[in-house]
């Protein structure tokens, strides 16, 4: 006896028969080994047509390659008997979802359990529907899970038993997990499985709370009128995915707005009033108009206090947030804003630094003193260009190009303000 069989033996000793819609699930000891069985309710096993339905269900299940579909074999009990009273289920240590949630209710608090269970279920349902098979009922008592990893498994399929006209008996006690038209005795459809899936989602998230973005989706999936539901399980799955992605994008936008407001508040609180600075013309390769349309202004988009480092970090965060949904236009806008803020910041710093030599006292010094001061000023200008350029994620060539033009413009302005052309000055 291997370890798995030892575990099954231990569990079987303390596990009674568990009720499912079609019968009782239990383990039976055969040849010193426990096997899984579903023993059908008497009212089903006594129906002449039921055995034929079971055999067709078994054949169809065998053709489904998905690992979450359990395979089973009809069991007649007596040799050459026509009636099927039970099915032998493929080996494994299984329990119903009902049992799992009763024994370990905290499992629903694990995000990986919820997401994985739902994804596996919708994928399997879509595969079954493509093959003309419908599960019909997704009550927790009609779903099995493998004990070692809690992964979902489906067994018998309701669509094979519709012609028996015994739906009321089969789904007694779990009617709320079955589409209304099926309970009324009408044939099931893919929309019936959409209803069942919607009811299962609602049940699965009952304790942790159904995500707000999914409420409208589940409401549509569980509509009483089949025509108002999603046409297929695949479309239901896509709707769930789209709503989750939409919420993520909305949260990103709200987060960016909140950051902008905070930065704007910090600016007015902490930043002193800057001296008026003459407008600095753009570089030879200006930012394209299509990035600056609709009243674009970096101080209103990110707050007046947003510096080039803030914009650079915003670009990185935006790229990392959801790589498969990157908006290239938005990234270009961020880069354009970073460049504009760099230009504004560097113009302020350059004006301050150049004022150290372009003043009446300094200009009256001899050439040697003026050149020494100019060398120090140039070092400061280069250091600021590197510092602000790196913070804004601009290339060195780009920041040098902008800095060079700003220095030239401010130099010419300061010469004009002094009313005379100086003998000495910083050359480009």
């Amino acid at each position: 006896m291997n370890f798995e069989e030892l575990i099954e033996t231990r569990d079987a000793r303390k596990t009674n028969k568990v009720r499912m819609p079609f019968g009782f699930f239990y383990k039976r000891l055969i040849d010193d080994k426990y096997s899984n069985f579903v023993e059908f309710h008497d009212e089903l096993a006594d129906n002449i047509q039921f055995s034929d339905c079971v055999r067709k269900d078994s054949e169809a299940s065998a053709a489904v390659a998905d690992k979450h579909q359990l395979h089973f074999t009809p069991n007649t009990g007596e040799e050459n008997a026509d009636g099927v009273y039970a099915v032998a289920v493929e080996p494994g240590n299984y329990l119903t979802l009902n049992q799992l949630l009763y024994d370990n209710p905290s499992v629903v608090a694990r995000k990986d359990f919820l997401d994985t269970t739902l994804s596996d279920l919708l994928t399997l349902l879509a595969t079954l529907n493509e093959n003309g098979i419908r599960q019909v009922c997704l009550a927790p008592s009609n779903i099995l899970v493998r004990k070692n990893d809690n992964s979902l498994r489906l067994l018998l399929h309701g669509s094979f038993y519709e012609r028996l006209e015994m739906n009321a008996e089969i789904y007694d006690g779990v009617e709320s997990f079955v589409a209304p038209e099926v309970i009324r005795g009408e044939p099931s459809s893919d929309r019936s499985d959409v209803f069942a899936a919607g009811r299962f989602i609602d049940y699965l998230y009952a304790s942790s709370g159904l995500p707000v973005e999914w409420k409208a989706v589940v409401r549509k999936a569980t509509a009483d009128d089949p025509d108002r539901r999603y046409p297929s399980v695949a479309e239901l799955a896509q709707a769930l995915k789209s709503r989750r992605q939409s919420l993520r994008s909305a949260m990103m936008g709200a987060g960016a707005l909140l950051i902008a407001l905070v930065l704007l508040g910090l600016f007015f609180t902490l930043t002193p009033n800057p001296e008026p600075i003459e407008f600095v013309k753009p570089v030879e390769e200006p930012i394209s108009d299509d990035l600056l349309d609709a009243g674009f202004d970096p101080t209103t988009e990110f707050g007046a206090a947003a510096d080039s480092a803030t914009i650079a970090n915003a670009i990185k965060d935006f790229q990392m947030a959801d790589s498969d949904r990157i908006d290239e236009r938005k990234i270009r806008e961020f880069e354009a804003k970073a460049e504009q803020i760099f230009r504004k910041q560097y113009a302020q710093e350059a004006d301050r630094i150049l004022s150290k030599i372009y003043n009446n006292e300094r200009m009256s010094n001899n050439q040697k003193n003026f050149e020494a001061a100019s060398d120090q000023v140039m070092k400061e200008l280069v250091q600021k260009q590197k510092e602000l350029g790196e913070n804004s994620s601009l290339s060195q060539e780009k920041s040098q190009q902008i800095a060079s033009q700003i220095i030239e413009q401010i130099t010419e302005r300061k010469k004009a303000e002094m009313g005379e052309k100086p003998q000495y000055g910083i050359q480009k």
Side-chain angles (χ1 to χ4, degrees):
M1 181 179 295
N2 58 34
F3 180 75
E4 183 176 357
E5 291 172 344
L6 179 63
I7 295 298
E8 290 188 17
T9 300
R10 182 199 65 185
D11 292 342
R13 288 171 181 167
K14 64 178 182 179
T15 303
N16 296 322
K17 293 183 178 180
V18 179
R19 184 181 177 87
M20 300 181 71
F22 288 87
F24 292 94
F25 177 76
Y26 67 102
K27 296 179 184 294
R28 180 191 299 174
L29 183 62
I30 301 177
D31 297 330
D32 297 325
K33 183 176 180 180
Y34 280 94
S35 301
N36 300 306
F37 279 86
V38 173
E39 185 176 307
F40 296 120
H41 299 309
D42 292 341
E43 59 269 27
L44 295 176
D46 291 341
N47 188 293
I48 298 176
Q49 295 178 317
F50 178 73
S51 297
D52 183 49
C53 296
V54 175
R55 292 187 177 93
K56 289 182 178 179
D57 192 357
S58 176
E59 293 174 2
S61 299
V64 178
D66 194 303
K67 68 178 182 180
H68 300 287
Q69 171 61 56
L70 287 175
H71 301 145
F72 55 92
T73 304
N75 193 322
T76 58
E78 298 179 6
E79 188 176 355
N80 299 323
D82 294 329
V84 175
Y85 79 98
V87 292
V89 184
E90 68 178 76
N93 197 9
Y94 307 109
L95 68 163
T96 66
L97 182 61
N98 252 353
Q99 289 177 285
L100 174 65
L101 298 183
Y102 179 81
D103 295 338
N104 184 18
S106 64
V107 71
V108 296
R110 289 168 27 200
K111 188 175 184 297
D112 61 328
F113 172 77
L114 294 174
D115 288 350
T116 301
T117 298
L118 184 55
S119 175
D120 292 343
L121 174 66
L122 295 179
T123 300
L124 176 55
L125 285 179
T127 299
L128 293 175
N129 290 172
E130 289 174 0
N131 289 277
I133 305 171
R134 288 170 291 278
Q135 185 68 17
V136 178
C137 176
L138 289 172
S141 61
N142 199 35
I143 296 174
L144 295 172
V145 294
R146 196 168 67 171
K147 194 164 186 178
N148 64 335
D149 60 4
N150 298 328
S151 61
L152 169 145
R153 297 291 189 273
L154 293 184
L155 188 57
L156 299 163
H157 310 99
S159 58
F160 287 96
Y161 308 91
E162 293 175 353
R163 64 190 181 97
L164 301 177
E165 298 183 355
M166 297 181 65
N167 287 342
E169 293 84 355
I170 294 174
Y171 304 118
D172 181 32
V174 294
E175 298 92 338
S176 61
F177 290 92
V178 182
E181 66 273 15
V182 175
I183 295 298
R184 292 194 299 266
E186 300 172 14
S188 64
S189 66
D190 290 355
R191 294 174 187 263
S192 302
D193 271 4
V194 169
F195 179 95
R199 285 289 296 114
F200 177 75
I201 295 171
D202 199 26
Y203 172 85
L204 190 64
Y205 285 86
S207 59
S208 60
L210 181 66
V212 63
E213 69 272 19
W214 284 359
K215 289 186 177 180
V217 177
V218 172
R219 188 162 53 247
K220 179 176 180 178
T222 55
D224 287 342
D225 184 356
D227 292 336
R228 296 177 57 190
R229 302 174 200 151
Y230 295 99
S232 67
V233 172
E235 292 190 39
L236 168 61
Q238 182 58 44
L240 294 171
K241 180 180 179 181
S242 298
R243 289 300 180 94
R244 175 163 284 182
Q245 290 176 340
S246 297
L247 179 65
R248 183 188 304 171
S249 298
M251 291 177 66
M252 288 174 59
L257 178 60
L258 179 61
I259 292 173
L261 294 174
V262 171
L263 292 174
L264 183 61
L266 289 174
F267 172 76
F268 287 115
T269 302
L270 303 176
T271 305
N273 294 327
E275 296 181 2
I277 296 178
E278 182 177 318
F279 173 74
V280 181
K281 69 179 181 179
V283 297
E284 296 177 0
E285 297 179 2
I287 303 168
S288 59
D289 293 338
D290 66 324
L291 294 181
L292 306 176
D293 58 2
F296 157 74
D297 184 352
T299 60
T300 59
E301 180 82 9
F302 279 86
D307 55 16
S308 53
T310 300
I311 302 299
N313 289 332
I315 296 174
K316 295 176 182 177
D317 291 343
F318 184 80
Q319 290 173 324
M320 295 176 63
D322 196 350
S323 59
D324 61 344
R325 292 177 57 82
I326 291 178
D327 187 337
E328 295 295 342
R329 177 183 174 85
K330 194 68 175 177
I331 293 178
R332 291 171 59 205
E333 289 178 0
F334 285 165
E335 292 172 342
K337 294 168 189 176
E339 183 176 319
Q340 282 201 349
I341 293 177
F342 167 82
R343 187 181 296 114
K344 179 179 178 180
Q345 291 180 323
Y346 190 79
Q348 292 176 339
E349 293 296 323
D351 185 271
R352 177 183 62 80
I353 295 171
L354 288 170
S355 295
K356 296 179 180 180
I357 57 174
Y358 283 103
N359 56 66
N360 292 329
E361 179 182 357
R362 184 66 67 180
M363 294 298 294
S364 62
N365 289 337
N366 59 39
Q367 179 178 357
K368 183 177 181 180
N369 291 338
F370 183 85
E371 289 178 349
S374 298
D375 290 340
Q376 182 60 36
V377 164
M378 183 56 68
K379 291 179 181 179
E380 289 186 49
L381 289 171
V382 171
Q383 180 62 32
K384 278 296 176 184
Q385 171 251 310
K386 291 181 178 179
E387 176 185 335
L388 295 176
E390 291 175 355
N391 287 342
S392 62
S393 296
L394 293 179
S395 67
Q396 186 173 357
E397 291 182 357
K398 192 70 172 180
S399 63
Q400 285 178 346
Q401 181 184 23
I402 298 173
S404 176
Q405 294 196 10
I406 289 175
I407 292 172
E408 181 179 7
Q409 293 168 31
I410 294 179
T411 299
E412 293 299 321
R413 174 169 59 81
K414 287 190 175 295
K415 290 178 182 179
E417 289 175 352
M418 295 182 65
E420 60 180 355
K421 187 172 182 179
Q423 181 179 0
Y424 313 114
I426 295 180
Q427 299 299 318
K428 180 177 178 182

